[in-house]
Structure formats: structure tokens, C-alpha cells
């Protein structure tokens, strides 16, 4: 309203301005021989009309402003009322949630006390007050005493950790019984809950009389003699067993990391180290037979070998140059960076990254460059662009030639996989500012649209059945131009679901075995070019084999 006051003042001053104009017009008329009364009346009517129009419009605007202010106040009042209602409901919900939380904590605490007495073998106090004697304690059997001595560290853990063990008390029983086969079977039967089981295994291992020997015993079936190397890559039961072996070794490492030096020395004794070295000597020759799957950066055999050295602390018996040659075989696995640090291979990472780059595995190289802070030496954007350029070199000759639809579909699928891998890598490492994703995403949409359009392509019409005429004599016209029913595009093979424990990087990889064997004496081979990684097609599987036992 304050802004309208100058406008109102100007409108009120129009009358005085008109009078002044009339005086000037009269003075002008006195100097002329011809009268101007008629013209002045027209001008006066015109100005008065403008004055009335402005005043009417001004009044309308004032009314609209008052109406707007009224509606605004009503809206603010309604918002404040709703906000108060929401806060009241939120407070009531918090109070109810707190009550439920208190009740749940109380129930968990009671259950934990009961479970701790059962699992740790706490004696029950037998009072003889009625007989006039002092309270006595039942004697424990020798095996119970041994189990309790191994559970001393477990009792020192936080209440939250102990409550988590309650979810799978069978793990404690299996570890206490040193039953490695039963432990494998239990993990296999409950593989859908593998993430929660993995969190409880380090605590359950404390119940074992010899946790390290239990883990070593679980490795017996890692190399099944009844299965050939080729069949082993396809045997889901053997793959699941190998993943379980790796997980148990990692869980033992977690247990050891939370203990002091004396406790670690007690668990990893010299006898246990000798047993672990015997396993290493048995596994080492088998690494020479690793096929192209090892070059995909997801080799379970190489991962288990490195994890065995790390968990039992026997890596000092091996040359770091030899161990670094195994890293490209496990570069896609999420534990690779931690294994390299624990085995003291951080200084070897520039050479490993060079090997990956020269073999067309630039995305592996980018991931390791970020893990070991080598991005200045190995530019991530340059590596990713090189990866896409090599993918385009493969698809360009095919696109120009007169190829069949199936070959073109395969080429498009390879390009789509490469684009998605680069996009994911850029997003994971937040490189959008250095490598804009809009062109890549547009190309992905084009390829996916073309793929969807081809799937919706109509099939050739099927033959129509014969129909009798209306009068029951003869038959209808025979269809002669219908082709037999056939599927133009074969159904893609079903892939196994993602194994919950493994988190490899998903992108296409090489087919040629460029990684030297463990026992080879030659150093890293660094050819001048990037190699022919894309020549024989992408061999990386977008999803790993199922975790099945």
C-alpha cells in the first residue's frame, strides 16, 4: 500500500494540472484573433476522461492487492496449522518408536544373557541355603572348560556383536566342533543370507579350539581332483566352494586384526604356518595352468593363493616380483587393493597398471590408479577414452561391411557394454567434470532403442487352419503364402544371479592370455601398442556365475 501512495498523489494532482493548462490556453487565446473555446472543451473532456479512467483502474488494483494480501494471510495460517499438526504427529511417532525400541533392547538383552549362559557354558549356581550351606557351583566337563578358555575374547566383545551371533548360533556350534564340512554346508544352505553370515563368522571362529586349523581344513576341496580345469570354470558347486574358502580366510584375517600380538601368535603358531606353507606349495604349480579366465581379472585361484599368503603371514617366502604378476589376474575383485597393501606390493602398482593398459584393460587400470593415488601418472580420462577408441576400432569395419543382422547385433552389444562400463567408472570416481557423460548416454539410448526395436520385429504369419463353408460343403480358401513358425532371434542364455559376496568390476575384458605365469622368470612385457584385446571380442561376463553349492 505504501507503493501506491505516490500514484494516488499524482492522480489527484491532475485536476490542478488541467486548471494550469486552461489558464495557459486562455492566455494563448487572448493573443489570437480566432477563439479556441471549442477546441479547449474537447481537450478538457479528453483529460477528464483519462483522469476518471486512471482513478477507476487504480481503485481496481487496490482492491486486487487487498484480496491478494487476504489470501496470502489465509495460506500462511493454513501452512502454520499443518506444520503444527505434522510436528505433533512426528513427536507422537517418535515417542511410540522410542517405546518399541526400549522394549526391543530389553528383550535382546534378556535373550543375550540367556544365550551367553548356554553358548559359553556358564555354570548355574545351586544354592544350599535351605540346607544351611553356602552356594556351590556345578563342575564343568573338560571339553566345556576348553571351549570356555577360547571364548574369553568373545566375551569381551561389544553387546551388539554378541547379539548378532544370536542370528546364527549354529555357526558357534560348528566352529566349536571343528566341523569344516558342516561349516561349508551351512554357508551353502544359507547363501541367500551370506552378507549377515559373513559378519558373524569372525566371532564364531573364537569358539573353535584352533581357528587357523579349521580354516586350513576348509581348503581341502578347493582343487577337486575329479573335475577338470575346464569343467571347474563351469561347475557352480566348485565355484561356490572356492568363494567360501576365500571368505573363511578373510574372516580369519578379520579375527586376527582385532587381537593383540600374543593372541595372534597363539592362533597362527609355527605348526599352523608349516601346514599353510604345505598348502601353498601344493597350489603354486596349479597357477601355471590358469586359462583366459584368469586374465579377466576375476581368478578365484589367484585370489585364494594371495589370500592364503596374507592371512597366514607367509608372503615373505615369495619374491614380490612374482606376486605382482598375479595381480592382473585378480584386478576386478574388490579385495585386490587391500591384498596388495598387506603383501607390500604398493610399489609394484605402476608396473601392474602398465600391464593392464597394454592389454586393453584400461578400466581396471583406472580403478587401481585411484586406489593407490597414481592418477597423475595415469590419467583416468585418457585411459577411458583409449578404451572406447579401441572398442570403436573393432566395430567400425563391421558397420561398413555388408554383415548379417546377428553379427551387427553382437557388435552393438559389445559397444553398449563398453559404454556402460565407462559410464559406471566415471560415476564411481566422480569424473563427470572432466569427462562429460551426455554424448555417451545418448549413444547408449540409441543402441538400447535399436535393440528394443529389433526385439519387437513382427514374425512371419503362421498358416491359417482350414474352415468349412457355411453350407457345410467344401472348404475355405487355402493359405499358401504363410511360412513356418520360427524364432528369428535366439533367446539369450540365462545368467546366474550375482554372488552376494563378490563385488567385481563389471565390464568386458580381454581374451588373450597376456599375464605371465607365477613361476616365469621374465618381467612385465610392455608392447608399444595396446594389443589386440578387442580383436576376438569381449570375453568379460557382465555378471558372475551364481554362488551355488
Amino acid at each position: 500500500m505504501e507503493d501506491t501512495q505516490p500514484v494516488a498523489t499524482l492522480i489527484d494532482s491532475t485536476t490542478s494540472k488541467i486548471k494550469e493548462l486552461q489558464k495557459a490556453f486562455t492566455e494563448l487565446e487572448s493573443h489570437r484573433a480566432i477563439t479556441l473555446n471549442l477546441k479547449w472543451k474537447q481537450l478538457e473532456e479528453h483529460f477528464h476522461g483519462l483522469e476518471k479512467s486512471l482513478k477507476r483502474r487504480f481503485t481496481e488494483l487496490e482492491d486486487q492487492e487487498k484480496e491478494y494480501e487476504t489470501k496470502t494471510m489465509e495460506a500462511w495460517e493454513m501452512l502454520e496449522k499443518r506444520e503444527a499438526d505434522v510436528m505433533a504427529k512426528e513427536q507422537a511417532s517418535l515417542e511410540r518408536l522410542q517405546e518399541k525400541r526400549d522394549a526391543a533392547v530389553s528383550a535382546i538383552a534378556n535373550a543375550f544373557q540367556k544365550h551367553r549362559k548356554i553358548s559359553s557354558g556358564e555354570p548355574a549356581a545351586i544354592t544350599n541355603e535351605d540346607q544351611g550351606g553356602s552356594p556351590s557351583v556345578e563342575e564343568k566337563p573338560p571339553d566345556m572348560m576348553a571351549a570356555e578358555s577360547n571364548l574369553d575374547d568373545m566375551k569381551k566383545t561389544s553387546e551388539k556383536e554378541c547379539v548378532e551371533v544370536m542370528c546364527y548360533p549354529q555357526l558357534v556350534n560348528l566352529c566349536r566342533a571343528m566341523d569344516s564340512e558342516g561349516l561349508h554346508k551351512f554357508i551353502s544352505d544359507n547363501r541367500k543370507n551370506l552378507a549377515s553370515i559373513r559378519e558373524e563368522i569372525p566371532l564364531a571362529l573364537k569358539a573353535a579350539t584352533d581357528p587357523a586349523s579349521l580354516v586350513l581344513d576348509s581348503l581341502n576341496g578347493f582343487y577337486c581332483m575329479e573335475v577338470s580345469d575346464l569343467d571347474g570354470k563351469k561347475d557352480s558347486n566348485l565355484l561356490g566352494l572356492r568363494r567360501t574358502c576365500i571368505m573363511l580366510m578373510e574372516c580369519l584375517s578379520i579375527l586376527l586384526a582385532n587381537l593383540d600380538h600374543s593372541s595372534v601368535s597363539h592362533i597362527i603358531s609355527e605348526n599352523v604356518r608349516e601346514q599353510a606353507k604345505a598348502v601353498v606349495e601344493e597350489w603354486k604349480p596349479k597357477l601355471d595352468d590358469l586359462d583366459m579366465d584368469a586374465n579377466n581379472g576375476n581368478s578365484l585361484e589367484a585370489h585364494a593363493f594371495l589370500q592364503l599368503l596374507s592371512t597366514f603371514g607367509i608372503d615373505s617366502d615369495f619374491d614380490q616380483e612374482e606376486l605382482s604378476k598375479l595381480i592382473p589376474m585378480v584386478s576386478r575383485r574388490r579385495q585386490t587393493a587391500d591384498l596388495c597393501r598387506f603383501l607390500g606390493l604398493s610399489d609394484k602398482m605402476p608396473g601392474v597398471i602398465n600391464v593392464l593398459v597394454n592389454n586393453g584393460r584400461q578400466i581396471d587400470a583406472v580403478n587401481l590408479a585411484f586406489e593407490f593415488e597414481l592418477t597423475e601418472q595415469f590419467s583416468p580420462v585418457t585411459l577411458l577414452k583409449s578404451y572406447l577408441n579401441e572398442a570403436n576400432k573393432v566395430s567400425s569395419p563391421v558397420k561398413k561391411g555388408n554383415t548379417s543382422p546377428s553379427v551387427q547385433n553382437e557388435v552393438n552389444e559389445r559397444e553398449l557394454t563398453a559404454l556402460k562400463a565407462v559410464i559406471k567408472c566415471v560415476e564411481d570416481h566422480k569424473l563427470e567434470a572432466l569427462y562429460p557423460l551426455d554424448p555417451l548416454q545418448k549413444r547408449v539410448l540409441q543402441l538400447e532403442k535399436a535393440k528394443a526395436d529389433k526385439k519387437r520385429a513382427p514374425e512371419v504369419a503362421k498358416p491359417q487352419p482350414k474352415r468349412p463353408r457355411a453350407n457345410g460343403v467344401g472348404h475355405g480358401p487355402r493359405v499358401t503364402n504363410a511360412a513356418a513358425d520360427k524364432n528369428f532371434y535366439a533367446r539369450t542364455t540365462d545368467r546366474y544371479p550375482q554372488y552376494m559376496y563378490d563385488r567385481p568390476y563389471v565390464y568386458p575384458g580381454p581374451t588373450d592370455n597376456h599375464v605371465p605365469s607365477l613361476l616365469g622368470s621374465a618381467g612385465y612385457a610392455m608392447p608399444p601398442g595396446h594389443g589386440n584385446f578387442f580383436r576376438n571380442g569381449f570375453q568379460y561376463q557382465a555378471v558372475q556365475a551364481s554362488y551355488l553349492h
Side-chain angles (χ1 to χ4, degrees):
M1 295 299 294
E2 295 179 357
D3 296 338
T4 60
Q5 290 181 356
V7 179
T9 304
L10 291 174
I11 293 174
D12 293 338
S13 64
T14 54
T15 303
S16 59
K17 297 293 183 181
I18 292 173
K19 291 181 179 179
E20 293 178 0
L21 182 60
Q22 183 180 6
K23 292 180 180 179
F25 210 82
T26 303
E27 185 178 357
L28 178 63
E29 185 181 9
S30 62
H31 294 284
R32 294 178 61 87
I34 303 173
T35 181
L36 298 176
N37 290 334
L38 180 60
K39 293 183 180 181
W40 167 246
K41 290 181 179 180
Q42 292 176 352
L43 291 174
E44 185 178 17
E45 290 176 359
H46 174 70
F47 283 118
H48 282 298
L50 290 176
E51 181 182 9
K52 292 179 181 180
S53 177
L54 289 173
K55 288 183 177 180
R56 182 175 66 254
R57 184 57 181 164
F58 181 72
T59 305
E60 292 176 357
L61 291 176
E62 285 184 331
D63 295 339
Q64 290 178 1
E65 184 179 6
K66 292 179 180 179
E67 183 180 358
Y68 173 75
E69 291 178 352
T70 303
K71 290 182 179 179
T72 303
M73 292 299 297
E74 293 176 354
W76 275 110
E77 292 175 358
M78 184 179 298
L79 286 175
E80 291 177 355
K81 183 178 179 181
R82 290 183 179 179
E83 183 179 1
D85 294 341
V86 170
M87 293 181 64
K89 291 180 180 179
E90 183 180 6
Q91 185 64 29
S93 299
L94 289 175
E95 292 176 358
R96 290 195 300 269
L97 181 61
Q98 186 64 35
E99 293 176 358
K100 292 181 180 180
R101 181 182 178 185
D102 295 341
V105 171
S106 177
I108 290 174
N110 295 334
F112 164 69
Q113 294 294 338
K114 188 182 298 183
H115 170 73
R116 185 171 60 177
K117 290 179 181 179
I118 295 174
S119 61
S120 62
E122 289 186 1
I126 304 176
T127 58
N128 295 326
E129 293 178 356
D130 295 339
Q131 301 176 1
S134 59
S136 62
V137 179
E138 292 181 347
E139 294 183 358
K140 306 171 188 175
D143 57 345
M144 188 71 73
M145 296 289 291
E148 183 178 6
S149 65
N150 286 281
L151 283 173
D152 289 337
D153 291 333
M154 188 176 181
K155 292 178 182 179
K156 297 178 182 180
T157 57
S158 64
E159 181 176 341
K160 177 180 179 181
E161 291 176 337
C162 294
V163 170
E164 290 178 348
V165 177
M166 288 175 51
C167 298
Y168 300 99
Q170 301 94 323
L171 288 174
V172 177
N173 297 331
L174 290 170
C175 292
R176 183 182 293 117
M178 297 288 291
D179 186 0
S180 60
E181 293 184 1
L183 191 59
H184 268 286
K185 185 178 184 303
F186 178 81
I187 294 173
S188 175
D189 294 341
N190 296 273
R191 57 184 176 272
K192 292 183 178 179
N193 303 319
L194 196 61
S196 58
I197 290 177
R198 183 180 182 275
E199 294 178 358
E200 297 185 8
I201 290 178
L203 300 174
L205 286 174
K206 294 182 180 181
T209 55
D210 192 349
S213 296
L214 175 62
V215 173
L216 283 176
D217 291 341
S218 69
L219 305 179
N220 289 334
F222 190 88
Y223 285 99
C224 183
M225 303 303 296
E226 300 177 357
V227 181
S228 64
D229 293 339
L230 181 61
D231 295 336
K233 304 304 179 183
K234 301 178 181 179
D235 189 346
S236 59
N237 293 331
L238 180 58
L239 292 176
L241 183 143
R242 288 178 174 178
R243 293 187 182 103
T244 301
C245 291
I246 295 173
M247 182 179 70
L248 291 175
M249 287 191 288
E250 286 191 335
C251 290
L252 179 60
S253 298
I254 296 173
L255 170 63
L256 298 176
N258 295 325
L259 300 178
D260 54 23
H261 180 71
S262 60
S263 300
V264 172
S265 300
H266 177 71
I267 295 177
I268 308 295
S269 61
E270 289 298 325
N271 184 28
V272 170
R273 288 182 187 274
E274 293 300 324
Q275 295 178 17
K277 289 180 181 179
V279 177
V280 169
E281 293 298 327
E282 179 185 355
W283 285 7
K284 185 168 64 174
K286 300 181 184 297
L287 296 178
D288 294 334
D289 300 329
L290 291 178
D291 56 12
M292 67 177 62
D293 282 345
N295 291 330
N296 286 344
N298 194 27
S299 170
L300 294 176
E301 296 90 333
H303 184 184
F305 185 85
L306 295 173
Q307 188 65 56
L308 180 61
L309 298 179
S310 172
T311 300
F312 291 90
I314 53 179
D315 56 289
S316 59
D317 297 339
F318 291 86
D319 181 56
Q320 288 188 342
E321 191 69 23
E322 282 187 319
L323 296 180
S324 62
K325 295 175 183 179
L326 293 176
I327 302 304
M329 300 182 184
V330 297
S331 57
R332 291 179 63 199
R333 303 189 68 79
R334 64 176 178 82
Q335 304 94 334
T336 300
D338 293 335
L339 279 175
C340 292
R341 295 188 184 97
F342 194 88
L343 295 173
L345 301 178
S346 298
D347 295 338
K348 301 293 182 181
M349 285 302 105
V352 173
I353 294 175
N354 275 324
V355 170
L356 294 173
V357 172
N358 293 333
N359 287 279
R361 293 165 57 185
Q362 288 88 343
I363 293 183
D364 274 352
V366 171
N367 292 327
L368 288 180
F370 273 99
E371 286 286 349
F372 292 93
E373 298 180 355
L374 297 173
T375 54
E376 293 184 0
Q377 184 176 351
F378 300 94
S379 172
V381 175
T382 303
L383 293 177
L384 293 176
K385 289 182 178 180
S386 173
Y387 179 76
L388 283 182
N389 288 336
E390 292 187 14
N392 292 331
K393 289 178 182 179
V394 174
S395 59
S396 296
V398 178
K399 291 179 179 179
K400 295 178 181 178
N402 186 13
T403 59
S404 62
S406 60
V407 175
Q408 187 62 51
N409 291 341
E410 183 179 355
V411 170
N412 292 343
E413 188 66 26
R414 293 174 187 172
E415 183 181 359
L416 182 62
T417 304
L419 287 169
K420 288 183 177 180
V422 172
I423 290 174
K424 184 179 185 302
C425 185
V426 171
E427 292 176 346
D428 289 344
H429 299 296
K430 298 179 174 56
L431 298 173
E432 292 88 345
L434 301 176
Y435 197 171
L437 294 179
D438 290 341
L440 303 183
Q441 292 172 345
K442 289 179 180 178
R443 180 57 181 164
V444 168
L445 292 176
Q446 291 176 357
L447 294 174
E448 289 181 342
K449 184 178 182 300
K451 182 179 179 180
D453 292 341
K454 291 179 180 179
K455 286 185 177 181
R456 290 195 296 266
E459 296 183 355
V460 178
K462 297 181 179 180
Q464 297 295 328
K466 297 179 180 179
R467 293 185 302 172
R469 296 181 183 273
N471 56 6
V473 179
H475 300 279
R478 183 176 181 180
V479 178
T480 60
N481 60 347
D485 182 22
K486 60 177 69 177
N487 293 327
F488 289 98
Y489 302 99
R491 183 176 63 87
T492 56
T493 55
D494 296 333
R495 297 184 183 272
Y496 294 108
Q498 173 70 28
Y499 177 60
M500 293 175 60
Y501 173 62
D502 292 326
R503 294 290 185 273
Y505 297 105
V506 180
Y507 62 96
T511 58
D512 299 331
N513 187 358
H514 298 282
V515 181
S517 63
L518 174 66
L519 299 181
S521 59
Y524 286 114
M526 298 184 183
H530 289 296
N532 296 326
F533 158 59
F534 291 96
R535 178 185 61 201
N536 294 326
F538 291 60
Q539 296 294 330
Y540 276 162
Q541 300 297 329
V543 184
Q544 283 199 277
S546 168
Y547 177 81
L548 299 174
H549 283 276

